[in-house]
Amino acid sequence: GQSLEQPSEVTAVEGAIVQINCTYQTSGFYGLSWYQQHDGGAPTFLSYNALDGLEETGRFSSFLSRSDSYGYLLLQELQMKDSASYFCAVVSQGGKLIFGQGTELSVKP
Amino acid sequence: GAVVSQHPSWVICKSGTSVKIECRSLDFQATTMFWYRQFPKQSLMLMATSNEGSKATYEQGVEKDKFLINHASLTLSTLTVTSAHPEDSSFYICSARDISNNEKLFFGSGTQLSVL
């Protein structure tokens, strides 16, 4: 079977740094993606890691370790607008996305 | 950037009726599109993979006769929820794969279906 685990919720203050971890157990792994979703909206692509290492895009970074079946999303200089749900998703064969259960991030003033 | 248009954004229907949701890739050709369903506060669950010119591939537990998928052109896939019931009320989201752009996936804006 396929499964992904990530924390259900995280709370942090503005300006802080937060890391959301994701472990996975899947077959046919091609890479790990991260998506942001605000209430009532569609998922927005944040990052994709196909190889081990860190990918940086502005305030967001994502890391992957294929040998550990582990990745994380790092959000720096948190802003109130970053309050949302964050999903890790394994990219499987044929471009299928298998999503984790999502982490609800609350950013407090 | 690539845009995927999904229509309608919300629909309310009576139990027993059918609802069609459209997913269009506006500036790229998508041989493959995916349909997801998301219940409140839950994850996105893949329902089916829509392939242009061929039958859709359904995930385990998804009734293909209830959720009809048609992918008749390289820019359009449709999902029809037949004989909808209240338990079908959910957020339906499509995504399309742009093979000319490193096979990136782009999501539609979603359709909120409420069945009364």
Side-chain angles (χ1 to χ4, degrees), chain B residues 3 9 16 21 32 51 53-54 65 67 80-81 88 91 95 100-101 108-109 114-115:
Chain B
V3 176
S9 54
I21 303 170
T32 305
N51 302 296
S54 63
D65 294 330
F67 299 100
T80 301
V81 183
D88 299 322
F91 191 53
S95 71
S100 67
N101 187 3
S109 54
S114 297
V115 184

Side-chain angles (χ1 to χ4, degrees), chain A residues 10-87:
Chain A
V10 173
T11 301
V13 297
E14 267 189 304
I17 299 173
V18 73
Q19 179 174 312
I20 301 174
N21 298 320
C22 175
T23 57
Y24 59 87
Q25 189 171 13
T26 66
S27 57
F29 177 87
Y30 286 81
L32 190 70
S33 284
W34 288 92
Y35 288 83
Q36 178 192 62
Q37 186 181 32
H38 286 98
D39 272 350
T44 303
F45 172 81
L46 293 178
S47 68
Y48 173 64
N49 295 66
L51 304 175
D52 286 359
L54 190 68
E55 294 279 343
E56 297 180 72
T57 308
R59 294 188 297 116
F60 294 178
S61 303
S62 59
F63 172 82
L64 175 65
S65 169
R66 295 176 70 125
S67 59
D68 295 324
S69 297
Y70 162 77
Y72 66 72
L73 178 69
L74 189 73
L75 299 86
Q76 302 183 73
E77 299 173 23
L78 281 176
Q79 302 174 11
M80 298 295 288
K81 67 178 182 179
D82 297 328
S83 292
S85 292
Y86 291 83
F87 293 89

Side-chain angles (χ1 to χ4, degrees), chain B residues 4-34:
Chain B
V4 174
S5 172
Q6 187 172 341
H7 177 82
S9 54
W10 59 270
V11 58
I12 301 172
C13 69
K14 291 183 179 179
S15 186
T17 60
S18 294
V19 174
K20 180 185 282 189
I21 303 170
E22 292 187 349
C23 182
R24 293 180 184 272
S25 55
L26 296 185
D27 54 1
F28 66 96
Q29 293 182 333
T31 54
T32 305
M33 292 186 178
F34 303 92

Side-chain angles (χ1 to χ4, degrees), chain B residues 16-82:
Chain B
T17 60
S18 294
V19 174
K20 180 185 282 189
I21 303 170
E22 292 187 349
C23 182
R24 293 180 184 272
S25 55
L26 296 185
D27 54 1
F28 66 96
Q29 293 182 333
T31 54
T32 305
M33 292 186 178
F34 303 92
W35 287 96
Y36 294 84
R37 180 169 54 182
Q38 185 178 32
F39 292 107
K41 300 295 184 184
Q42 293 189 23
S43 185
L44 289 86
M45 299 300 296
L46 179 64
M47 299 176 66
T49 302
S50 171
N51 302 296
E52 186 268 336
S54 63
K55 290 183 180 180
T57 305
Y58 290 82
E59 295 300 302
Q60 194 171 8
V62 178
E63 301 173 59
K64 60 181 181 181
D65 294 330
K66 181 168 183 64
F67 299 100
L68 300 179
I69 291 172
N70 184 283
H71 194 156
S73 78
L74 286 171
T75 58
L76 174 64
S77 174
T78 60
L79 169 68
T80 301
V81 183
T82 62

